[in-house]
Amino acid sequence: MAPLIRIPRPGAAKESEATPRALYLRRRDFLGGALAGAALLVGCDGGAESRTDEAARPDEVTPRKDATSYNNFYEFGTNKTDPAENAHTLRPRPWTVAVEGECAKPGTLGIEDVLAAFPRQERVYRLRCVEAWSMVIPWLGFPLGDLLKRFEPTSKAKYVQLETLWDTEQMPLTRKPTLDWPYREGLRIDEAMHPLAILATGMYGEELPNQNGAPLRLVVPWKYGFKSGKSIVKIRFTEQQPYTTWNASAPDEYGFYANVNPDVDHPRWSQRRERRIGELAKRPTLPFNGYGDEVASLYAGMDLAKLF
Ligand code: MTE
């Protein structure tokens, strides 16, 4: 089954679909992102502008209002509507991201440096939450690997840990130990370097709203959504598998890998099917969220029922 990876060709925006502001942003991104986008198209797509599932119902982009009002961002509350209501206290500027650990050139980047250095592309990806709901979101971002390479990871860098903001002033609810703050996630280095793994700074042609993880969040479309840490402040190259928040809080329920897998149920619910936000009938869940052709080889020889 073909995955949904829509990467518009430079200049190929459908003007009728975009608002003037979105168009402005997209044009700017396409111009800057032409080279990277073209390289990925060859790797993943043979040059086609888009691919959608034929066997399943077509994947429609989730309405922006749903993707920005039905969120998980526990720093702002545990109900789905809490982040949109509460995240106005987050200040996404000024913002810095520190990169440290097993690399030759550790350092710190301001968010403006990030935006200037890494041309953004639009990526339309499915997002599958471990809670068995899903959306289709047009992100604006760039490959995580492009940023990581600048810091020259050493041969000891087997993993990366991403740490997100913990500031009790901007996130008053984090005075309570709902989770072991700061929210941390991680990837194996080859997963992090995979061209489908992106750092997003925008969605729907605009900057990221606070509730979606402004100003910088991870998006790893073949993994459950909890891997995609929001409002990242630190990236650390490690030799050992890093601490990750959900895995530490309930290791039987949330694996380190968290690859979307309809064959491995959550202990408290099935992962066979999912509720696409905005639809009534459930959809079948696809292995690796439908991105298996691109990523399954990363897991060759691994028992994904054990290393879930
Ligand atoms: N990042 C932080 N810092 N805190 C969180 O609670 N929730 C995760 C992930 N990133 C979370 C987070 C979960 S469970 C999901 S499903 C996605 O964010 C949801 O992203 P969205 O609200 O943009 O759809």
Side-chain angles (χ1 to χ4, degrees):
M1 191 172 288
L4 178 64
I5 310 168
R6 269 184 231 145
I7 306 168
R9 278 191 301 247
K14 290 191 185 64
E15 308 239 343
S16 58
E17 289 174 4
T19 64
R21 176 169 163 71
L23 257 184
Y24 160 72
L25 281 167
R26 286 182 194 184
R27 282 216 189 88
R28 203 179 59 178
D29 293 327
F30 288 160
L31 290 175
L35 218 62
L40 195 72
L41 280 169
V42 173
C44 295
D45 214 334
E49 184 184 337
S50 71
R51 296 198 295 187
T52 49
D53 294 337
E54 302 302 337
R57 275 165 286 161
D59 286 292
E60 304 283 346
V61 168
T62 299
R64 184 183 185 280
K65 72 170 173 18
D66 291 338
T68 58
S69 62
Y70 185 94
N71 299 103
N72 278 330
F73 200 168
Y74 274 30
E75 288 86 334
F76 295 104
T78 52
N79 294 318
K80 294 285 179 281
T81 51
D82 287 344
E85 274 171 33
N86 298 333
H88 57 89
T89 52
L90 176 70
R91 293 190 301 271
R93 298 287 191 285
W95 194 274
T96 56
V97 183
V99 183
E100 58 183 45
E102 298 292 349
C103 59
K105 296 193 169 150
T108 299
L109 285 177
I111 189 66
E112 310 300 345
D113 307 329
V114 173
L115 289 167
F118 305 101
R120 297 188 294 181
Q121 311 154 15
E122 181 165 80
R123 300 280 182 96
V124 183
Y125 284 162
R126 296 185 200 89
L127 172 81
R128 169 59 157 86
C129 179
V130 72
E131 297 164 339
W133 53 264
S134 61
M135 299 191 193
V136 175
I137 300 183
W139 302 104
L140 287 175
F142 57 90
L144 168 65
D146 289 356
L147 182 141
L148 297 181
K149 281 175 207 151
R150 295 245 173 151
F151 296 87
E152 299 182 14
T154 68
S155 59
K156 285 187 176 170
K158 306 278 193 250
Y159 297 88
V160 279
Q161 185 190 50
L162 296 106
E163 190 172 308
T164 73
L165 182 70
W166 181 23
D167 178 336
T168 53
E169 190 216 320
Q170 295 182 63
M171 300 165 154
L173 291 174
T174 61
R175 294 198 179 105
K176 288 194 260 173
T178 321
L179 285 175
D180 179 20
W181 314 116
Y183 191 103
R184 280 152 286 175
E185 259 311 329
L187 297 169
R188 219 171 51 192
I189 193 79
D190 57 339
E191 299 177 315
M193 293 292 183
H194 192 283
L196 289 189
I198 61 168
L199 285 172
T201 57
M203 63 196 291
Y204 296 87
E206 299 186 4
E207 300 306 318
L208 275 183
N210 286 357
Q211 62 268 31
N212 293 92
L216 188 74
R217 55 111 24 109
L218 183 66
V219 181
V220 193
W222 69 96
K223 293 180 178 282
Y224 292 121
F226 71 85
K227 298 298 286 182
S228 295
K230 294 178 169 180
S231 307
I232 292 166
V233 292
K234 196 172 278 185
I235 299 176
R236 189 178 292 120
F237 295 101
T238 66
E239 191 168 12
Q240 306 299 327
Q241 183 176 304
Y243 177 99
T244 57
T245 302
W246 278 109
N247 179 241
S249 77
D252 298 342
E253 303 192 14
Y254 310 104
F256 173 80
Y257 283 92
N259 291 315
V260 175
N261 189 343
D263 297 332
V264 176
D265 287 339
H266 186 281
R268 290 182 279 128
W269 58 84
S270 166
Q271 295 292 22
R272 287 239 149 259
R273 289 168 0 119
E274 66 199 57
R275 183 170 60 91
R276 179 65 52 84
I277 298 302
E279 293 180 359
L280 290 176
K282 288 194 173 176
R283 291 170 174 260
T285 285
L286 307 173
F288 299 106
N289 205 20
Y291 300 96
D293 285 354
E294 284 72 24
V295 302
S297 61
L298 295 175
Y299 310 102
M302 279 173 59
D303 180 349
L304 296 181
K306 288 210 177 89
L307 295 166
F308 60 91

